[in-house]
Amino acid sequence: MSKGRKTAAALLALVTIMALLAGCGSSENNIGSGAKDQIASGSQSGSGNQGSSGTENQGGQNGTQKGYVFTYKDVTISMDAEAAPLVAALGEPNSYFEAASCAFEGLDKMYTYSGFELDTYPTGDKDFVSAVVLKDDSVATPEGVVIGDSKSKLESVYGTASSTTDTLAVYEKDGMELRFILSGDSIVSIEYMSGAALQ
Amino acid sequence: MKSKKTLKVIVSAIIVFVCLFLLQRLLMPKYVSDIVEGSMIAEYYREEMDHDVVFIGDCEVYENFSPKVLWEEYGINSYIRGSAQQLIWQSYYLLEDTLRYEKPQVVIFNVLSMQYNEPQREAYNRMTLEGMKWSGAKVKAILASMTEEENFLDYVFPILRYHSRWSELKGEDLEYLFKPHQVSHNGYYMRVDVKPAENVPEGKVLADYSFGENAYDYLDRFTKLCKENDIQLILIKAPSLYPYWYDEWEAQMEEYAAGNNLLYINFLELVEETGLDFSTDTYDGGLHLNLSGAEKVSRYLGKVLQEEGVPDRRGEEALEKIWQEKAALYEQEKEEQYLALEAER
């Protein structure tokens, strides 16, 4: 092998290794690092209700609300919004529970207020809203649907669901879901779920 | 002349292969200083494969039962093949994998994972699958576990997945390049700290409480494999208060156990009998037990296993010696954790 060929072969090997190292790195989750790269598993978020949800956009992680939102005492909660300002505005919860995920760092947090529950997931050193679950008919969606309402009222207010089964009607919007759980003809639970929580 | 050239090519190929292998080893997570749970599956292969009882399941087995107590108080030689969010198909293939090495008298499976019917998250997949030695069971486990975004080749050549870790390499990546790191005690992950269970939420309403077809299929396979190998399968629900264990789920497991003539123990219903106190026996508010809780539950389970005919092997010289060393490490870590807690106060 000539000197030139050897140099070329060495360069080729180097380029291959550099390509492997560089690759698609920045967009990947860093598995194995201390950073939590996902919402913890096993979390079962809460519920909530005395408010309402709107469909306008205001309030995600970047300050813009997306999808269906829930409003309680003038505090508008959208999925994936930063939790700290919302929790501060909502005041003292009736109860608070936090759950560490198996293995990963960070805590999923559940704040229970009168009629609804606000759940969060951690990303970096901040928490974001993963779900709002309405618990009873003391709270309503901004469109006026409450637990106990009929399926026909649900459809008259929200229209045709994105997907449906005998016990579930799901309305998707901007990557989040507004889910109505049904028993017979009645709504028994209302959940706002972030796309991240659904992954 | 030609043979010299061929030799050169072969040597060059070997050098490239070795370099890539070393690079891959370096870049793969070592699970030493954080997310230590990622080390657990691989630890099993360094064991003497002579266990009478093998636990298989998620964090509810590796954090809630102490094989050391089972040995010291009942002479039961056991091991926990647990990993974080271990899905039921992974448990099944871990059972297949275990049977390549040993045939325990009893296998204990924790049923919480019945709630999952499809692949969940890559990070958890990798913590279970990467530690498995290559075999047909591992291949099938990977194929059953992959999410849509994952590739089988990334498991065969992890460097394809971890190439971007080069910028976050730490000293431990070099230190543990080949040296194994022990994080568990026969699969048990020890924690001595206390965080009482308070305000544990009720489960939210579900649209469907039925466990999925895929989950049942693997439970059936699990049961069948145990029967074929003359292994007694015991189903358990560990005494973790959260995630919530629904009555509807309990009814399904009771029915399954009865239909398949299996012993099923729900430790959530045995709080009084085990003596668990959730104000002192959990380190994370009721999700997992701490050392005190795990030892209480293990004492109860030991009695059950004894009644089921698992032998007391105290007195076997070789095994006694192994457990003497294990017990010393267990006590050492216990002391270190208590000292660290004291220092924090």
Side-chain angles (χ1 to χ4, degrees):
Chain A
M1 193 184 271
S2 72
K3 206 170 182 179
R5 278 185 178 178
K6 277 183 186 170
T7 310
L11 277 174
L12 189 64
L14 193 64
V15 166
T16 306
I17 289 172
M18 292 305 287
L20 274 171
L21 289 176
C24 49
S26 60
S27 65
E28 289 180 321
N29 290 335
N30 294 321
I31 295 169
S33 72
K36 183 167 175 162
D37 61 351
Q38 57 187 7
I39 293 178
S41 70
S43 70
Q44 305 173 29
S45 23
S47 81
N49 178 29
Q50 144 153 21
S52 51
S53 87
T55 57
E56 69 276 23
N57 290 339
Q58 355 161 343
Q61 286 193 32
N62 59 4
T64 307
Q65 290 181 356
K66 284 188 174 179
Y68 294 99
V69 299
F70 173 69
T71 304
Y72 179 78
K73 291 181 179 173
D74 298 328
V75 179
T76 299
I77 305 168
S78 66
M79 295 303 100
D80 300 308
E82 189 181 342
L86 296 172
V87 169
L90 289 167
E92 190 69 21
N94 296 345
S95 74
Y96 167 75
F97 180 76
E98 58 187 25
S101 70
C102 293
F104 287 99
E105 291 178 356
L107 297 167
D108 292 337
K109 297 173 180 173
M110 276 149 267
Y111 302 85
T112 303
Y113 300 92
S114 181
F116 75 99
E117 182 180 294
L118 169 69
D119 299 346
T120 72
Y121 65 93
T123 293
D125 58 357
K126 288 183 179 173
D127 294 323
F128 299 92
V129 176
S130 61
V132 169
V133 184
L134 311 195
K135 297 277 197 186
D136 58 42
D137 61 4
S138 65
V139 286
T141 70
E143 295 81 10
V145 171
V146 297
I147 286 174
D149 279 348
S150 66
K151 195 174 176 181
S152 54
K153 180 177 177 186
L154 169 65
E155 286 168 352
S156 71
V157 172
Y158 287 97
T160 306
S162 311
S163 62
T164 181
T165 67
D166 288 346
T167 55
L168 180 66
V170 179
Y171 294 83
E172 293 174 18
K173 188 169 183 152
D174 296 332
M176 61 78 68
E177 289 184 358
L178 175 57
R179 300 156 66 94
F180 296 89
I181 297 175
L182 304 155
S183 176
D185 187 47
S186 292
I187 297 169
V188 292
S189 181
I190 303 173
E191 302 172 351
Y192 296 80
M193 306 286 286
S194 89
L198 291 163
Q199 278 171 15
Chain B
M1 190 67 180
K2 200 175 178 184
S3 64
K4 207 173 175 184
K5 265 191 176 176
T6 311
L7 186 68
K8 272 187 179 176
V9 170
I10 291 170
V11 170
S12 302
I14 290 172
I15 290 171
V16 170
F17 178 79
V18 169
C19 286
L20 283 174
F21 172 74
L22 289 174
L23 201 56
Q24 178 166 286
R25 292 284 304 200
L26 181 69
L27 291 171
M28 284 184 74
K30 307 300 180 296
Y31 300 114
V32 173
S33 58
D34 46 31
I35 323 182
V36 296
E37 292 89 339
S39 295
M40 289 178 172
I41 290 295
E43 284 185 3
Y44 170 74
Y45 303 104
R46 301 197 289 272
E47 277 288 303
E48 290 290 327
M49 310 291 193
D50 182 24
H51 304 107
D52 299 298
V53 176
V54 172
F55 297 77
I56 298 183
D58 51 21
C59 56
E60 290 199 358
V61 291
Y62 72 70
E63 305 208 38
N64 289 344
F65 297 94
S66 166
K68 186 248 191 187
V69 167
L70 291 177
W71 170 256
E72 286 196 337
E73 302 195 15
Y74 299 95
I76 293 170
N77 190 26
S78 67
Y79 195 91
I80 300 170
R81 295 209 75 183
S83 53
Q85 204 193 67
Q86 188 181 108
L87 303 169
I88 188 167
W89 39 94
Q90 295 167 346
S91 302
Y92 171 75
Y93 291 117
L94 279 169
L95 174 61
E96 267 195 7
D97 183 57
T98 304
L99 293 176
R100 295 168 63 221
Y101 301 96
E102 60 179 333
K103 199 169 92 171
Q105 180 178 332
V106 172
V107 165
I108 298 176
F109 174 64
N110 186 60
V111 295
L112 179 68
S113 61
M114 284 295 290
Q115 69 179 301
Y116 298 112
N117 198 49
E118 50 205 31
Q120 298 291 310
R121 299 178 196 285
E122 183 193 8
Y124 285 114
N125 282 345
R126 288 196 171 263
M127 283 197 285
T128 296
L129 301 170
E130 283 180 346
M132 289 177 77
K133 279 194 174 174
W134 279 103
S135 67
K138 175 164 176 166
V139 171
K140 287 182 277 183
I142 293 170
L143 293 174
S145 303
M146 284 190 304
T147 58
E148 280 178 14
E149 293 76 28
E150 292 180 75
N151 287 308
F152 183 76
L153 266 186
D154 291 351
Y155 283 94
V156 181
F157 303 109
I159 192 170
L160 297 173
R161 183 63 182 88
Y162 293 118
H163 53 205
S164 62
R165 272 197 82 238
W166 65 271
S167 59
E168 51 186 70
L169 289 177
K170 294 187 272 191
E172 68 189 33
D173 286 295
L174 213 53
E175 188 180 349
Y176 294 98
L177 192 60
F178 292 108
K179 190 168 70 172
H181 175 63
Q182 194 76 16
V183 300
S184 80
H185 302 274
N186 273 42
Y188 167 59
Y189 174 65
M190 183 190 291
R191 288 287 295 261
V192 304
D193 42 330
V194 178
K195 183 183 172 190
E198 290 167 347
N199 303 320
V200 181
E202 291 282 306
K204 64 176 182 174
V205 176
L206 302 184
D208 185 358
Y209 292 91
S210 308
F211 291 133
E213 269 182 36
N214 194 34
Y216 266 122
D217 177 42
Y218 277 98
L219 186 58
D220 284 341
R221 292 198 211 183
F222 205 107
T223 304
K224 190 173 169 224
L225 190 56
C226 284
K227 282 185 178 158
E228 283 169 356
N229 284 277
D230 202 20
I231 293 168
Q232 182 184 359
L233 173 61
I234 298 178
L235 302 179
I236 59 163
K237 170 62 190 79
S240 293
L241 300 177
Y242 186 90
Y244 188 77
W245 182 250
Y246 295 90
D247 290 344
E248 292 85 350
W249 290 358
E250 173 66 11
Q252 287 171 77
M253 283 300 91
E254 285 177 5
E255 189 185 343
Y256 186 88
N260 288 276
N261 200 23
L262 301 175
L263 176 59
Y264 169 56
I265 308 168
N266 181 352
F267 283 94
L268 286 167
E269 295 174 349
L270 296 168
V271 171
E272 201 174 310
E273 291 84 343
T274 52
L276 277 179
D277 177 349
F278 282 99
S279 65
T280 57
D281 292 334
T282 167
Y283 75 86
D284 55 6
L287 279 75
H288 307 104
L289 300 178
N290 58 17
L291 180 68
S292 150
E295 291 191 339
K296 285 179 185 176
V297 173
S298 302
R299 278 186 199 103
Y300 181 93
L301 179 64
K303 246 180 269 176
V304 174
L305 292 171
Q306 200 174 46
E307 287 162 13
E308 294 296 316
V310 178
D312 181 346
R313 297 178 63 186
R314 284 172 291 187
E316 287 184 26
E317 201 177 326
L319 205 50
E320 286 271 11
K321 198 177 167 204
I322 289 169
W323 272 105
Q324 214 168 19
E325 287 169 16
K326 287 176 183 290
L329 289 173
Y330 186 95
E331 292 302 328
Q332 185 189 329
E333 182 174 358
K334 184 169 143 184
E335 197 180 322
E336 284 170 2
Q337 285 199 25
Y338 277 122
L339 283 173
L341 274 185
E342 280 298 315
E344 276 175 24
R345 281 175 195 151

